[in-house]
Amino acid sequence: MRCRHCGHENEAGAQFCALCGLPVAGNDQETRTLAGLGDLVELLEADHDLAEVLAGLPDGQGMLVVRRGPNAGSRYWLEDQLTTVGRDSDSDVFLDDITVSRHHAVLRRGAEGYEITDVGSLNGTYLDQKRIDTSALHHLAEIQIGRFVLVFVLGGHS
């Protein structure tokens, strides 16, 4: 039985995930991947100001939008070469929840675009529902860190 939060494959009949400890059966917080124009429209309808922000996002500039989690709707511009993500209050993207490691992930901006790297977190970092160590980011990539689901948007793709 696969955990809908972290993707860990648990034994059949498990009530709680052996990896993240969250309930497995009857869990209605399913992770969905944003793919295509229909999902972009859904995202924009949920946050009307976001359409305006995306229109002003320079080509090649990245931004994270918190789609699910305690601070849903928050936005983080990825202007620096290195952006830290975690539960540590000094993190650039501060995600205050016990399911997030203090130093969870790092986003790097390079000539080829953005990439995300898990920095040894306990619960892992997921990109489009797959656990990753390091991976390139694409427009509308879905990132799951603990209970948070963030969407990566890239200027020039609105």
Side-chain angles (χ1 to χ4, degrees), residues 19-151:
L19 184 62
C20 71
L22 294 173
V24 175
N27 184 344
D28 62 352
Q29 291 186 337
E30 184 174 311
T31 299
R32 289 184 18 223
T33 300
L34 291 176
L37 185 58
D39 288 322
L40 179 57
V41 169
E42 178 185 324
L43 183 63
L44 295 176
E45 286 175 352
D47 187 348
H48 299 293
D49 295 334
L50 183 57
E52 199 171 300
V53 171
L54 283 177
L57 196 62
D59 286 357
Q61 173 68 53
M63 182 174 64
L64 290 177
V65 179
V66 180
R67 182 173 168 110
R68 189 176 72 216
N71 57 343
S74 297
R75 300 178 200 129
Y76 300 93
W77 291 73
L78 304 175
E79 297 176 311
D80 296 330
Q81 297 295 92
L82 188 73
T83 302
T84 58
V85 181
R87 191 167 35 98
D88 188 288
S89 60
D90 289 334
S91 296
D92 299 315
V93 178
F94 175 56
L95 302 176
D96 191 18
D97 189 81
I98 194 71
T99 61
V100 178
S101 295
R102 291 189 192 285
H103 304 283
H104 201 104
V106 172
L107 290 106
R108 286 185 179 80
R109 182 180 187 179
E112 300 296 315
Y114 289 86
E115 73 175 15
I116 186 167
T117 301
D118 184 273
V119 291
S121 69
L122 179 63
N123 291 328
T125 300
Y126 294 80
L127 179 65
D128 296 331
Q129 301 177 348
K130 294 179 183 164
R131 190 169 183 158
I132 56 100
D133 291 321
T134 298
S135 187
L137 292 174
H138 59 85
H139 181 61
L140 296 181
E142 181 182 84
I143 301 166
Q144 184 167 348
I145 295 176
R147 295 186 335 170
F148 293 85
V149 175
L150 305 101
V151 178

